[in-house]
Amino acid sequence: MAGYTAPVRASLDVTYACDLRCIHCRTNTGEVPAHIRRKMLSIEQLQEIMLDLDRMGTFEITLTGGEPSIRKGFWQLLDVVPKLRHATVTLITNAAAHTREQLDRIVDSGISSVRVSMDGTRETFAAVRLKDVFDTVVENSIYLRDRVQSFKVLTTVMKTNQHNVFDLAQYLRAQGFRRQDLILVRAHGRGGRNLLLLTEAETMAIHEKVAQFKKTVPATDFDLNLNAPYLVPGEQLRPYQDVVMFPYLVRDSSIAISATGDVTMSRLYSAAPLGNTKDAPVQKIWLAGQDQLAQEQEEFTEARLREIFWDFAAAGEQSAPPLTSLLDRQIFEGFEVR
Ligand code: SF4
């Protein structure tokens, strides 16, 4: 880690608001109290952060949330995309209520990659997302898929949809999609509180099924991946990983920036953020935080990550796991991080 002049990837929470209320939502949409929402970064501050990251040499900036596109000013935020010299921008969206005009604005902004969340085929999808918008999401996804450089479906795997994710893969394949990542439900947010974490046996069963799927369907036809290689002993990590896909992975020089400006290497572990972008530019925070980053890096070895993850999963079988993320702690313990 030491010696990196910039985070390779940065994930930026544009908002904590969303038009959905998914049962596993890591950002607790609809529950974030006003005193936290009042501290949210302005659109200008978000633009400045993106420009700062680009100047530092960050490769990829992921805009996420909440649902980024419902943030007032989101469309102005996109004005910054063509000004970035190095960084590519990835948008994670639920694609649940976009008009054709809005989809075109996303495509025309220069965003090169889009990730859409889909957690099951129609009925399972509705049970997770609590809204029957499956057809709209598929339709919007097809529209985006055919127009952006890189498109992927993201599927969060949890207790209640693990039986369905391979049916979804086959459905997506039949619809002409080419890439799907399975992500394990986070311990933080509603996923932990709703006891949705998979056990080790369930996770390994998914891992095994992905391996079987790959034997019958070549990646050139449909590329299905379980994005949790750190949980599988002996599994090789690919060199470049999506920051938001790896909330538990710290072997990467990625950072997450919360909607209120807290910069952390991992939303899960960081007991204290490296800093806040309202107090200092990202570059300064990054440089000043190198010792903390190195310490966290050393502490959270792959073996330790597995241990922590399975501890959360096991705790989830008995009772809700402990609050883990900065946002959870801010909301439910009234703990002011800053
Ligand atoms: S779409 Fe994403 S941000 Fe919105 S409620 Fe669902 S998980 Fe949360």
Side-chain angles (χ1 to χ4, degrees):
M1 167 74 70
Y4 279 84
T5 54
V8 176
R9 277 164 294 274
S11 147
L12 191 51
D13 286 345
V14 174
T15 177
Y16 293 135
C18 185
D19 44 349
L20 299 182
R21 294 286 182 270
C22 303
I23 58 172
H24 63 293
C25 183
R26 73 166 176 83
T27 45
N28 300 287
T29 56
E31 299 175 64
V32 182
H35 76 275
I36 295 174
R37 277 185 276 124
R38 271 199 294 272
K39 289 184 183 169
M40 294 222 316
L41 299 169
S42 68
I43 292 297
E44 291 71 28
Q45 285 169 324
L46 289 167
Q47 284 183 329
E48 204 41 55
I49 290 169
M50 290 174 75
L51 289 166
D52 276 352
L53 287 165
D54 183 57
R55 278 190 286 266
M56 290 167 73
T58 294
F59 288 149
E60 184 185 358
I61 300 170
T62 300
L63 302 179
T64 182
E67 168 54 39
S69 63
I70 68 163
R71 170 79 196 265
K72 202 173 168 200
F74 172 73
W75 306 107
Q76 286 74 55
L77 179 62
L78 297 190
D79 291 345
V80 93
V81 178
K83 296 181 188 160
L84 305 177
R85 287 172 309 153
H86 307 292
T88 59
V89 177
T90 294
L91 172 69
I92 299 187
T93 174
N94 62 28
H98 296 71
T99 62
R100 200 41 70 82
E101 192 199 358
Q102 289 173 328
L103 297 179
D104 284 337
R105 285 175 79 177
I106 291 169
V107 173
D108 295 343
S109 71
I111 283 181
S112 54
S113 81
V114 174
R115 310 289 183 240
V116 172
S117 321
M118 273 190 238
D119 302 323
T121 52
R122 182 173 282 100
E123 277 178 25
T124 306
F125 179 100
V128 170
R129 305 244 144 198
L130 303 181
K131 216 171 183 182
D132 184 12
V133 284
F134 182 75
D135 290 335
T136 309
V137 173
V138 171
E139 195 183 312
N140 287 344
S141 296
I142 290 173
Y143 192 82
L144 288 166
R145 175 197 76 193
D146 294 344
R147 285 163 181 79
V148 294
Q149 222 177 316
S150 163
F151 183 90
K152 211 190 261 188
V153 170
L154 305 181
T155 301
T156 303
V157 190
M158 62 200 93
K159 279 272 186 237
T160 53
N161 73 348
Q162 55 183 315
H163 62 283
N164 178 257
V165 293
F166 294 92
D167 289 347
L168 176 64
Q170 293 296 4
Y171 171 85
L172 292 171
R173 188 178 166 218
Q175 296 296 317
F177 290 94
R178 290 284 168 263
R179 297 166 78 198
Q180 180 187 14
D181 277 359
L182 306 182
I183 307 150
L184 294 180
V185 64
R186 314 318 198 230
H188 52 277
R190 287 198 279 269
R193 281 187 290 129
N194 287 339
L195 310 184
L196 297 173
L197 271 69
L198 299 187
T199 62
E200 183 168 4
E202 287 166 333
T203 305
M204 290 311 148
I206 297 277
H207 170 67
E208 192 49 43
K209 281 191 198 163
V210 170
Q212 289 302 327
F213 185 99
K214 282 179 165 303
K215 277 184 194 152
T216 52
V217 180
T220 45
D221 175 346
F222 189 86
D223 192 15
L224 177 70
N225 289 293
L226 172 62
N227 261 338
Y230 53 94
L231 290 178
V232 184
E235 189 85 350
Q236 287 299 308
L237 299 180
R238 285 170 306 185
Y240 298 104
Q241 307 287 0
D242 231 331
V243 56
V244 291
M245 300 306 98
F246 287 83
Y248 308 122
L249 182 69
V250 289
R251 273 183 49 184
D252 195 299
S253 62
S254 302
I255 54 166
I257 304 176
S258 79
T260 54
D262 286 321
V263 181
T264 55
M265 181 164 69
S266 153
R267 290 183 174 93
L268 177 63
Y269 306 116
S270 305
L274 302 175
N276 188 285
T277 57
K278 288 183 204 136
D279 304 329
V282 187
Q283 184 155 30
K284 214 167 166 188
I285 294 171
W286 175 256
L287 291 175
Q290 286 301 304
D291 286 348
Q292 185 181 332
L293 287 171
Q295 204 182 322
E296 290 183 22
Q297 197 84 322
E298 202 174 305
E299 191 179 342
F300 297 110
T301 58
E302 276 181 65
R304 178 79 184 115
L305 287 173
R306 275 197 289 276
E307 197 182 300
I308 291 171
F309 191 87
W310 300 132
D311 277 356
F312 280 132
E317 290 182 328
Q318 312 297 326
S319 59
L323 301 174
T324 53
S325 71
L326 289 173
L327 182 60
D328 272 352
R329 279 177 268 155
Q330 283 175 325
I331 295 173
F332 300 110
E333 291 184 344
F335 172 55
E336 286 296 332
V337 174
R338 297 175 60 212

